[in-house]
Amino acid sequence: YDMSGNVLEWVWDIYGAYPSGSQNNPTGASSGSYRVRRGGGWNYSAYNCTVSVRNYGYATNADGNIGFRCVRIFP
């Protein structure tokens, strides 16, 4: 489902710079204090509510704009 603009999506990837050049599903850094957050919440600008926007936050810090999505990968 398209949940863009509903809440931030807090993903498993650790925030860090991507390698240069073309990437296919990069996972970010191998260690660090920040987790990647995608998209934006109800109080963000329209641009920041797209899934291509990549932000970060502490893994232990949650706020009212962060949500999660259950995902099942079909075998």
Side-chain angles (χ1 to χ4, degrees):
Y1 298 101
D2 181 5
M3 301 293 286
S4 300
N6 187 14
V7 290
L8 292 169
E9 186 176 356
W10 198 4
V11 300
W12 187 255
D13 296 349
I14 297 171
Y15 186 82
Y18 285 150
S20 62
S22 180
Q23 301 292 313
N24 183 14
N25 195 22
T27 58
S30 58
S31 65
S33 300
Y34 296 110
R35 294 288 181 179
V36 173
R37 299 190 304 187
R38 293 268 183 196
W42 58 271
N43 62 342
Y44 283 66
S45 68
Y47 169 79
N48 287 317
C49 289
T50 62
V51 294
S52 61
V53 170
R54 184 171 172 261
N55 202 329
Y56 62 90
Y58 281 111
T60 57
N61 184 24
D63 63 33
N65 291 315
I66 297 176
F68 71 95
R69 204 179 293 176
C70 295
V71 177
R72 178 179 174 207
I73 299 174
F74 190 74

